[in-house]
Amino acid sequence: MLYLYGLSALTGTLPHFLQEPDDAYIVKSNPIKLRCRARPALQIFFKCNGEWVHQNQHTSVEHTDLGTGLKIREVMINVSRQQVEDFHGPEDYWCLCVAWSHLGTSKSRKATVRIAYLRKNFEQEPQGREVPIKGMIVLHCRPPEGVPPAEVEWLKNDEPISTLDDVNIDTRADHNLIISEARLSDSGNYTCLASNIVARRRSAPATVIVFVDGGWANWSEWSVCSAECEKQRGRECTDPEPKHGGRLCDGAALETDNCTGDLCTQAEVEGNNDIALYAGLAAGVVTVVLLVIAVMLYRRSQSEYGVDVIDSSALTGGFQSFSFKSTRQGNPLLMNSSMPPDLTMSRTYTSPICFPDSMDKELMSEPSLFDPLPDVKVKVHSSFMVSLGVSERAEYHPKAPPQTFPRGVVQDLAGRGGMLGGRGNSLLGPSLGFQPRTSAEKPLLRTTGLFGHGGGRLVLPNTGASLLVPHGAIAENTSWEMHMSINQDDTCVSLEESQEVLLGPEVSYGPPGLDLSCPVALTIAHCADVSSDDWSIKLRRQTQDSWEDVMSVDGECASCYCLLEPQCCHLLVDRPGCYALVGEPLSEAAVKRLRLAVFGSLEADALTYSLRVYCVDDTPHAFQEVVWLERGQGGRLLEEPKTLLFRGNSFSLQISIQDIPQFLWSIKPFTTCQEFGFSQVWGSNQSPLQCAFTLERFSHAANQLSCKISVRQVKGQELILQVYTTVAESQKDTVPFFTQSDCTITSQTGARAFKIPLSIRQRICATFDTANAKGKDWQLLAQKLHIDRNLVYFAQQTSPSAVILSLWEAQHQDRGDLDSLASALEEIGRVHSKLPEAVEKQDAGIEVGKQSSLSPCNPLQIMK
């Protein structure tokens, strides 16, 4: 009977799973086991990711159930980390069991297999707090991403926190720690501890301080009445006592009152009052006498100007206190660089704060910068100074030589007695611009280099201009002598629109017949604030005697590529010539960056000190013109240059000098404020705008000068240049040039000119130039390097990846690491291989991949 029953059960029952495979996680490189057990079962096989697992990989155990006589079969397989990494399906790696009996088959549940990991960085770490006693404390913690998800535990002073022992603490709310009512004992260092089966991570400790604000105890009893008819009482700040940084009690700890309601008087008190009265009268008389003497001395010092005017600031500035600091080390251009400058003040005004006196101005142009001072003591203090090297000693010329000026930009001369300092002629009056120095007086901005198949780089130091010739751009066994230069004459760029301005230098490269197989990367600095969309910027190229628009910087073009950055623009061009960036403001919110600098020098009479303030476009080339100019005048940089954001709102720029020590230095009245018209500043075309303040010291003993120079745009930003300097006759050395370590390097050839080694560059190009099924082509490379605009330009190149890398080289020429490129390649490999655990491979000491040669499917290997 038992045999017949067993036979019937064997032939009439589908397999029933006694054990199904469970989800599993691979820790580091340890394989996992999946198990299945079914009854009755003739055979059991695993199926993973839709494919049968080979029979040789199964381990099978079989026995018979003594109660039913049915066969029970158990099967196991191993799954390794490599198998999971090599699977690239739409879902996680999975396996299931299929069991057979005489009646049919049964399938188990799917079990997923994932690689366990826990990233290093917390998504949100707890932050320290200071809370009052009985206040609520909430510390937020979001653990690092991990598989399986991390569990969170809280530590206080490295000891676990138990919510079972303290109902005032709750850690159940989304991993956050909540203390309902803070106690003094809750002060301490709290740490969020995240852990899973593979790792543990600790957050930075968050310091919690529970403080107690002080409170007054009750007043004491009044004291007995004293001989002065006063009584006192006191109280202490002990209810509660301030703790852990809490506030002290407000109010007085001691109170005094009259014993008899102010009716108590003493002869001794009256005597004391008489003494105080006489002492006060004597001090008042001395003060008046000193004030009269001070006024007489000031009027005598002003008599040499022939002006019977007393500046009201003499009565206040004469007694002001100021300090002088020791020499500082820092910017080599600074005369006293150890003094940290005052914080730059930034304010916005709605109306002018000073107005120049047009009757006091003498309009001048420049004679020789090296003529000796005349014996005449009268000095010109014009409110409007000539640009680029104007001298205080000058003669008036009713006609100036013709100069170019951007179309539509008119000097603001009407009604102001003249605005000096800009390049160009006014339509309303004579131009009073500076006489430009000849090109022989300053270094020629031109560099050359002989380049072959290995390519190289040309750099004009401290101008923001460079040229990158990629490897392979020049044919093998061929060489070209290439050059790059900056136009130092008056600008010849045609400004077609009324509001267009030149934003950077005009940069040329050649020779004209240059034959290259791929574009070069040309970098030009600019002065536009491109943080908002208030500019329309175009690239123009000179063709013989005219200029043509090459492209709009934010547009699409198949012949050129522009990558605009905050300080410069990187161009990919293949036609030699002269290029320039031209901008047109789209609204009054458009901003042009100006660099402000103040220089000083002692004149030949050893008593007169000249302060010269420059406003130039915020480009390295424009500031270098100031350095050339000051080098000829023996000037010293007195304050770190600052950047002013000049808005296109048609309002002028005002420069004033403040806080001059009145009893040590003098300045002619009505010359403390000077002004530039809007068009002069907006269309300056890199020519320095300069104004000068001439101060005279009363004696050689006054060898310290302290003052402030305010530079502001009406209805715009204001900056303060703080001057602290020592005036000495021995300081007559010239302005040093820039001191970057590479300022003398103008040409590099071959491998040393590039950040990316040639072998790595070739492997990247081989990987991404050819599209593959996984979409890893040059478009993905451009996207990860944030060069994902105007892709039609790269599409027509023989090697798009090589051109993209050339642009990356131009971007990172000042930074000597490959971190951003390596990160982009790593991200490409991580996203497309569905392996977020790539970061954990380094922690576990696992090599990325086992292949010995480069595979296009594994770009992570490129940087190995």
Side-chain angles (χ1 to χ4, degrees):
M1 287 293 294
L2 182 61
Y3 172 76
L4 293 176
Y5 171 78
L7 181 61
S8 173
L10 182 64
T11 58
T13 304
L14 286 173
H16 171 67
F17 284 98
L18 303 176
Q19 180 181 358
E20 296 184 272
D22 296 323
D23 294 339
Y25 300 96
I26 294 178
V27 178
K28 297 185 179 180
S29 298
N30 301 320
I32 55 96
K33 289 183 181 294
L34 297 180
R35 301 173 183 268
C36 275
R37 190 166 71 248
R39 180 186 63 188
L42 299 176
Q43 292 290 343
I44 300 178
F45 286 100
F46 273 90
K47 189 182 229 183
C48 295
N49 306 316
E51 297 181 358
W52 293 105
V53 178
H54 196 277
Q55 184 177 2
N56 294 338
Q57 299 179 15
H58 291 72
T59 301
S60 179
V61 177
E62 180 181 340
H63 64 275
T64 302
D65 189 341
L66 297 179
T68 61
L70 299 179
K71 287 186 177 181
I72 298 177
R73 182 176 293 273
E74 183 178 359
V75 176
M76 295 174 293
I77 63 169
N78 291 333
V79 178
S80 68
R81 183 187 183 104
Q82 189 65 44
Q83 289 176 277
V84 178
E85 289 181 343
D86 291 342
F87 174 66
H88 305 300
E91 53 186 343
D92 292 328
Y93 190 99
W94 60 267
C95 293
L96 58 78
C97 294
V98 180
W100 279 266
S101 70
H102 289 288
L103 192 60
T105 61
S106 296
K107 292 183 179 180
S108 71
R109 64 178 293 274
K110 283 184 177 180
T112 59
V113 180
R114 304 177 66 185
I115 297 177
Y117 70 94
L118 185 62
R119 296 194 185 279
K120 289 184 177 181
N121 297 326
F122 280 73
E123 295 185 5
Q124 182 179 8
E125 290 190 300
Q127 302 295 321
R129 297 190 58 191
E130 295 184 2
V131 296
I133 194 167
K134 295 186 179 181
M136 177 178 286
I137 302 174
V138 180
L139 298 180
H140 299 277
C141 178
R142 293 173 59 192
E145 178 186 351
V147 173
E151 296 181 355
V152 170
E153 179 183 2
W154 283 92
L155 306 177
K156 176 187 174 184
N157 298 330
D158 291 333
E159 295 294 332
I161 297 176
S162 174
T163 58
L164 299 177
D165 300 335
D166 192 345
V167 295
N168 193 38
I169 299 178
D170 184 9
T171 60
R172 296 170 296 175
D174 196 22
H175 306 307
N176 297 330
L177 174 67
I178 301 176
I179 302 178
S180 302
E181 290 189 2
R183 301 155 297 191
L184 289 177
S185 60
D186 291 325
S187 298
N189 294 321
Y190 288 81
T191 306
C192 181
L193 180 65
S195 61
N196 65 4
I197 60 176
V198 69
R200 293 162 61 93
R201 303 282 188 252
R202 291 169 62 102
S203 71
T207 301
V208 174
I209 299 176
V210 180
F211 61 86
V212 179
D213 291 334
W216 289 113
N218 294 330
W219 286 101
S220 65
E221 297 294 332
W222 286 104
S223 65
V224 297
C225 191
S226 66
E228 290 80 17
C229 299
E230 290 182 346
K231 61 181 179 179
Q232 294 181 342
R233 66 174 180 175
R235 56 180 177 175
E236 295 181 352
C237 187
T238 57
D239 189 21
E241 183 180 355
K243 294 181 180 180
H244 298 173
R247 292 196 307 271
L248 299 176
C249 298
D250 294 330
L254 187 66
E255 186 179 35
T256 303
D257 196 11
N258 190 277
C259 297
T260 59
D262 295 330
L263 297 178
C264 180
T265 58
Q266 297 288 337
E268 181 181 356
V269 175
E270 294 178 358
N272 291 337
N273 291 338
D274 291 341
I275 294 175
L277 176 62
Y278 294 145
L281 290 175
V285 171
V286 173
T287 302
V288 171
V289 172
L290 291 176
L291 184 61
V292 171
I293 295 174
V295 172
M296 293 177 63
L297 289 175
Y298 180 78
R299 291 173 61 90
R300 180 179 301 174
S301 67
Q302 297 296 319
S303 61
E304 63 178 329
Y305 293 113
V307 180
D308 189 16
V309 176
I310 297 180
D311 191 348
S312 61
S313 64
L315 300 179
T316 58
F319 296 93
Q320 65 184 351
S321 62
F322 52 92
S323 61
F324 304 100
K325 307 297 178 70
S326 59
T327 304
R328 55 182 168 177
Q329 300 298 325
N331 191 327
L333 298 180
L334 285 175
M335 186 173 185
N336 292 305
S337 12
S338 68
M339 164 60 61
D342 283 359
L343 295 177
T344 300
M345 293 185 289
S346 180
R347 299 194 288 266
T348 301
Y349 295 90
T350 57
S351 62
I353 61 172
C354 58
F355 300 90
D357 185 0
S358 60
M359 299 300 294
D360 184 59
K361 299 174 178 57
E362 300 176 35
L363 304 179
M364 298 297 181
S365 62
E366 180 198 30
S368 171
L369 292 175
F370 302 101
D371 288 344
L373 285 171
D375 295 332
V376 182
K377 297 194 67 175
V378 177
K379 298 179 178 60
V380 175
H381 296 265
S382 172
S383 296
F384 308 100
M385 305 306 295
V386 184
S387 66
L388 255 182
V390 66
S391 172
E392 296 86 11
R393 299 166 284 107
E395 298 178 358
Y396 173 68
H397 296 276
K399 293 184 180 180
Q403 296 172 321
T404 59
F405 201 71
R407 184 181 304 173
V409 180
V410 181
Q411 284 181 299
D412 186 9
L413 297 177
R416 296 187 182 274
M419 294 289 187
L420 307 186
R423 224 181 251 175
N425 296 328
S426 170
L427 301 180
L428 303 175
S431 170
L432 300 170
F434 76 105
Q435 300 293 332
R437 299 159 63 107
T438 63
S439 59
E441 294 179 354
K442 52 187 176 183
L444 182 64
L445 293 182
R446 177 184 172 91
T447 182
T448 61
L450 186 63
F451 296 96
H453 185 69
R457 192 190 302 266
L458 287 176
V459 177
L460 287 172
N462 309 308
T463 64
S466 65
L467 180 73
L468 179 74
V469 182
H471 174 87
I474 300 176
E476 294 188 18
N477 302 322
T478 304
S479 62
W480 285 90
E481 184 178 2
M482 299 181 62
H483 63 81
M484 181 177 61
S485 62
I486 290 181
N487 178 28
Q488 296 172 268
D489 300 326
D490 291 341
T491 178
C492 58
V493 179
S494 59
L495 302 175
E496 300 174 357
E497 303 295 336
S498 60
Q499 297 295 324
E500 285 186 340
V501 293
L502 189 62
L503 298 178
E506 303 164 35
V507 182
S508 304
Y509 83 93
L514 186 63
D515 182 19
L516 300 178
S517 61
C518 61
V520 298
L522 179 63
T523 299
I524 303 177
H526 67 80
C527 62
D529 183 3
V530 294
S531 57
S532 58
D533 299 328
D534 297 314
W535 283 97
S536 173
I537 301 178
K538 299 177 182 178
L539 176 67
R540 286 191 179 154
R541 178 179 179 273
Q542 187 177 22
T543 57
Q544 295 181 353
D545 296 332
S546 63
W547 288 79
E548 63 178 6
D549 287 343
V550 178
M551 68 173 295
S552 176
V553 169
D554 56 356
E556 302 283 332
C557 180
S559 62
C560 180
Y561 188 93
C562 290
L563 180 61
L564 188 65
E565 293 189 329
Q567 304 290 336
C568 62
C569 184
H570 305 288
L571 311 172
L572 292 175
V573 292
D574 54 9
R575 298 176 60 189
C578 185
Y579 292 87
L581 292 172
V582 175
E584 178 183 2
L586 302 179
S587 68
E588 289 188 355
V591 173
K592 181 179 178 182
R593 300 190 320 273
L594 298 180
R595 184 176 296 187
L596 309 178
V598 55
F599 289 80
S601 62
L602 189 64
E603 300 296 339
D605 60 2
L607 291 176
T608 305
Y609 195 82
S610 175
L611 291 177
R612 294 176 293 277
V613 183
Y614 292 89
C615 304
V616 298
D617 290 352
D618 188 20
T619 61
H621 167 251
F623 186 69
Q624 201 175 53
E625 287 206 22
V626 175
V627 175
W628 289 327
L629 186 63
E630 285 296 322
R631 188 176 187 179
Q633 299 187 22
R636 299 291 301 179
L637 183 63
L638 303 181
E639 167 68 313
E640 290 283 357
K642 301 182 184 299
T643 299
L644 177 77
L645 301 181
F646 189 80
R647 300 170 62 88
N649 57 9
S650 302
F651 288 96
S652 61
L653 185 72
Q654 296 179 343
I655 305 175
S656 60
I657 186 168
Q658 306 168 4
D659 298 344
I660 302 173
Q662 298 293 339
F663 282 170
L664 300 177
W665 295 84
S666 65
I667 185 172
K668 187 176 181 180
F670 313 116
T671 62
T672 58
C673 184
Q674 306 182 26
E675 187 171 5
F676 291 116
F678 170 79
S679 59
Q680 292 176 276
V681 182
W682 193 253
S684 60
N685 297 348
Q686 285 107 5
S687 62
L689 302 180
Q690 176 201 4
C691 73
F693 300 97
T694 301
L695 292 81
E696 187 165 347
R697 53 181 174 174
F698 295 135
S699 69
H700 291 275
N703 61 351
Q704 303 284 345
L705 174 61
S706 168
C707 64
K708 293 180 181 179
I709 296 178
S710 168
V711 183
R712 78 178 192 96
Q713 184 185 18
V714 179
K715 292 188 178 181
Q717 186 186 20
E718 179 189 23
L719 290 180
I720 297 296
L721 300 175
Q722 181 69 59
V723 175
Y724 289 105
T725 186
T726 300
V727 179
E729 297 183 30
S730 60
Q731 293 176 340
K732 297 187 178 295
D733 52 333
T734 59
V735 179
F737 279 86
F738 296 85
T739 59
Q740 288 90 335
S741 59
D742 60 344
C743 66
T744 59
I745 301 176
T746 61
S747 175
Q748 288 181 315
T749 59
R752 64 178 178 223
F754 302 97
K755 307 297 181 185
I756 307 175
L758 178 59
S759 59
I760 292 180
R761 179 186 178 95
Q762 292 173 340
R763 297 170 73 185
I764 295 176
C765 295
T767 300
F768 292 100
D769 276 345
T770 304
N772 55 65
K774 297 186 180 297
K776 295 176 182 174
D777 58 5
W778 60 267
Q779 298 187 48
L780 180 61
L781 178 64
Q783 177 186 353
K784 296 305 179 183
L785 294 179
H786 308 291
I787 308 174
D788 52 355
R789 188 185 55 80
N790 193 15
L791 295 183
V792 65
Y793 175 81
F794 299 107
Q796 66 180 5
Q797 303 296 326
T798 304
S799 175
S801 301
V803 179
I804 293 172
L805 294 180
S806 296
L807 190 56
W808 184 93
E809 286 271 7
Q811 280 184 280
H812 298 80
Q813 59 181 319
D814 296 328
R815 299 181 291 275
D817 58 71
L818 300 176
D819 287 349
S820 62
L821 180 60
S823 298
L825 295 175
E826 182 179 0
E827 184 177 356
I828 292 172
R830 181 169 62 248
V831 171
H832 285 262
S833 63
K834 292 286 185 179
L835 290 181
E837 299 80 35
V839 176
E840 294 301 318
K841 293 176 183 177
Q842 298 179 0
D843 299 335
I846 306 301
E847 293 185 358
V848 182
K850 301 296 183 180
Q851 303 174 0
S852 60
S853 60
L854 178 70
S855 169
C857 296
N858 191 7
L860 284 173
Q861 294 179 342
I862 293 175
M863 302 302 293
K864 293 292 183 181

